[in-house]
Amino acid sequence: MKIDFVSDVSCPWCAIGLKSLEQAIARLGDDIKAEIHFQPFELNPQMPPAGQDINEHLAQKYGATPEQSEQTRAMIRARGEEVGFAFALDKRSRIYNTFDAHRLLHWAEEEGRQLALKHALFKAYFTDGENPGAHEVLIRLAGEVGLDPARAKQILESDAYAEDVRKLERRYLDHGINAVPAVIVNERHLIQGGQPADVFEQALRQIAAEG
């Protein structure tokens, strides 16, 4: 079973959705062999490298008041606890550009370390409050998950994988994906949003039975 997980590393519901999906796959045991491939999506492709204050950004983009933003954060924290992911949202004061993170993830797939890097990126941003677009952060994370830091530095200092990532982003936008996470199973079945593990498990069992 091929699972394309379309997401952004600055999307909290994507972190929740991934943990839920992994729990669902674990429950299926040997019944289903699933391979997750992470596909790029940028929530804020025009974001400058220095980023933007998160409250200012949410107010501009969604019209959210500080009170509404805090309610959303509380919901995200609670859902994170349910799936075993720690959101330290008080450490996260800015939204950043994530294009270089997607380039590194594209390379990591070739090296068989994509899942490990995705988890490391989510933790760096949401738990540790780091900038997932900063080259020094990306190079360090690459080394921590078993990738070659020198090669990561080369990639980031060039435009390597830029066209590949843009092509994939366009592909999913052209297919009507405009919110993430979007979980596409066997290139046919779409499960939208950071669903609970029960929902993912039921959907995967149903798809497998039909297959």
Side-chain angles (χ1 to χ4, degrees), residues 10 43-64 69 73 89 91-98 125 129-133:
S10 64
L43 289 169
N44 305 289
Q46 309 308 321
M47 185 64 66
Q52 183 183 17
D53 176 82
I54 196 162
N55 287 323
E56 181 185 291
H57 173 77
L58 293 172
Q60 279 181 8
K61 190 170 183 178
Y62 303 109
S69 295
R73 286 192 191 103
L89 297 179
K91 292 184 183 177
R92 186 174 64 107
S93 61
R94 298 184 79 73
I95 293 269
Y96 297 100
N97 186 291
T98 57
Y125 184 48
E130 296 186 277
N131 176 357

Side-chain angles (χ1 to χ4, degrees), residues 68-87:
Q68 288 169 328
S69 295
E70 187 47 52
Q71 284 174 354
T72 302
R73 286 192 191 103
M75 192 193 324
I76 287 166
R77 268 194 298 269
R79 282 293 306 278
E81 283 174 18
E82 285 171 18
V83 296
F85 186 88
F87 285 98

Side-chain angles (χ1 to χ4, degrees), residues 6 8 29 50 103 107 128 130 140 142 152 156 178 181 188-189 198:
V6 186
D8 197 357
R103 290 200 295 133
W107 165 59
D128 303 331
E130 296 186 277
R140 191 194 80 234
L156 293 168
N178 49 37
R188 288 181 54 215
H189 307 274
D198 290 349

Side-chain angles (χ1 to χ4, degrees), residues 8-207:
D8 197 357
V9 297
S10 64
C11 160
W13 295 107
C14 297
I16 290 165
L18 176 58
K19 293 290 280 187
S20 293
L21 177 62
E22 288 181 313
Q23 288 176 3
I25 290 169
R27 288 180 195 173
L28 296 169
D30 296 332
D31 294 348
I32 293 168
K33 183 174 175 3
E35 286 184 1
I36 303 175
H37 302 265
F38 294 101
Q39 306 295 355
F41 187 98
E42 288 178 88
L43 289 169
N44 305 289
Q46 309 308 321
M47 185 64 66
Q52 183 183 17
D53 176 82
I54 196 162
N55 287 323
E56 181 185 291
H57 173 77
L58 293 172
Q60 279 181 8
K61 190 170 183 178
Y62 303 109
T65 65
E67 293 76 21
Q68 288 169 328
S69 295
E70 187 47 52
Q71 284 174 354
T72 302
R73 286 192 191 103
M75 192 193 324
I76 287 166
R77 268 194 298 269
R79 282 293 306 278
E81 283 174 18
E82 285 171 18
V83 296
F85 186 88
F87 285 98
L89 297 179
D90 52 318
K91 292 184 183 177
R92 186 174 64 107
S93 61
R94 298 184 79 73
I95 293 269
Y96 297 100
N97 186 291
T98 57
F99 185 70
D100 283 344
H102 287 298
R103 290 200 295 133
L104 218 56
L105 281 162
H106 194 85
W107 165 59
E109 180 167 36
E110 294 179 356
E111 302 293 320
R113 306 300 300 160
Q114 195 185 39
L115 177 62
L117 182 60
K118 188 74 166 184
H119 277 301
L121 284 162
F122 279 147
K123 180 181 180 293
Y125 184 48
F126 291 113
T127 307
D128 303 331
E130 296 186 277
N131 176 357
H135 286 190
E136 65 272 18
V137 172
L138 290 169
I139 292 163
R140 191 194 80 234
L141 295 178
E144 286 175 4
V145 301
L147 292 160
D148 179 4
R151 177 64 184 132
K153 186 171 187 284
Q154 278 180 347
I155 289 166
L156 293 168
E157 289 175 352
S158 70
D159 64 353
Y161 303 107
E163 190 46 47
D164 299 291
V165 170
R166 288 196 180 97
K167 196 180 291 182
L168 285 166
E169 287 179 334
R170 283 194 298 269
R171 176 185 169 193
Y172 289 103
L173 286 169
D174 289 347
H175 280 77
I177 302 296
N178 49 37
V180 288
V183 179
I184 303 165
V185 184
N186 293 340
E187 300 185 355
R188 288 181 54 215
H189 307 274
L190 173 65
I191 309 166
Q192 192 76 53
Q195 301 291 346
D198 290 349
V199 174
F200 280 125
E201 182 186 359
Q202 187 180 357
L204 295 178
R205 285 194 188 279
Q206 192 173 336
I207 292 165

